[in-house]
Amino acid sequence: MTAGKVTVVDHPLVQHKLTLMRDVNTPTGQFRQLMREVSFLLAYEVCREFDTERVPIQTPLEAIQGIKLKGKKTCIITVMRAGNGLLDGMLDLIPSARVGHVGLYRDHKTLEAVKYYLKFPSQMKERVCITVDPMLATGNSAIEAVRQVKIAGATRIIFMCLLASPEGIKNFEMTHPDVPIYTAAIDRELNELGYILPGLGDAGDRMFGTK
Ligand code: URA
């Protein structure tokens, strides 16, 4: 299902796993494993955006024009720390991908994203850059992360998350209308603390067993 530049991956398996993740009784280890499985499935849909090219190959029986991915290796950019939970599943699917890191934390008073770390692979301009963070809440972190990815030279960027709020999508699209969003669901709203409702709580805390 695609609405504008937002794709909601409404595959039954994704929705089943997401429901398990929302459940407050799901323990840390299972939550982490589910995050890995859902990220694999979401990334599979994101890969539809990739360009391909025809290449001549020889099967054991005859010569054909096969299809391969075109261009430089994909770059996955994880927005630390919660984005790291999406990384392993994506690397299961795209093992040769390069990985960039954007370190951001949320100032709990202003809800603004504050940068503390940046590291990107070379030749960002030539790569499809998939920026990942599980929760598109206010949009501030995603907006800042993608801004940094653009400063690093990337021109083909996709944003992938697990849950999005309507407010976050609106904010994100105002700043980065050129960046498509992939998510498993769009929830109802944000609360006054910037948490997504009904949501799944703090994704980082649930994944890493912190409070
Ligand atoms: N970050 C989270 O981990 N959860 C939310 O609901 C919002 C932001």
Side-chain angles (χ1 to χ4, degrees), residues 95-167:
S96 61
R98 305 307 191 236
V99 179
H101 292 81
V102 178
L104 297 175
Y105 67 87
R106 185 151 77 146
D107 183 313
H108 282 289
K109 284 206 185 83
T110 64
L111 302 186
E112 290 298 319
V114 183
K115 177 183 78 183
Y116 66 88
Y117 186 77
L118 282 183
K119 189 83 177 175
F120 296 118
S122 63
Q123 296 168 291
M124 291 283 278
K125 191 171 175 6
E126 276 115 78
R127 303 181 192 279
V128 175
C129 293
I130 310 172
T131 304
V132 301
D133 192 355
M135 309 299 272
L136 180 61
T138 60
N140 292 342
S141 299
I143 288 168
E144 179 58 20
V146 168
R147 197 175 77 83
Q148 296 296 338
V149 173
K150 285 183 176 174
I151 291 170
T155 54
R156 287 205 59 198
I157 306 170
I158 299 160
F159 184 78
M160 187 186 110
C161 59
L162 184 60
L163 279 186
S165 73
E167 299 91 327

Side-chain angles (χ1 to χ4, degrees), residues 64-84:
I64 59 158
Q65 291 288 319
I67 295 172
K68 278 192 167 177
L69 296 179
K70 192 176 170 185
K72 284 238 160 272
K73 300 279 186 263
T74 307
C75 180
I76 303 166
I77 292 130
T78 162
V79 184
M80 296 191 289
R81 78 183 158 143
N84 288 7

Side-chain angles (χ1 to χ4, degrees), residues 82 106 135 137 190 194-197 199-204:
R106 185 151 77 146
M135 309 299 272
L190 289 182
Y195 280 87
I196 297 176
L197 298 177
L200 50 73
D202 187 301

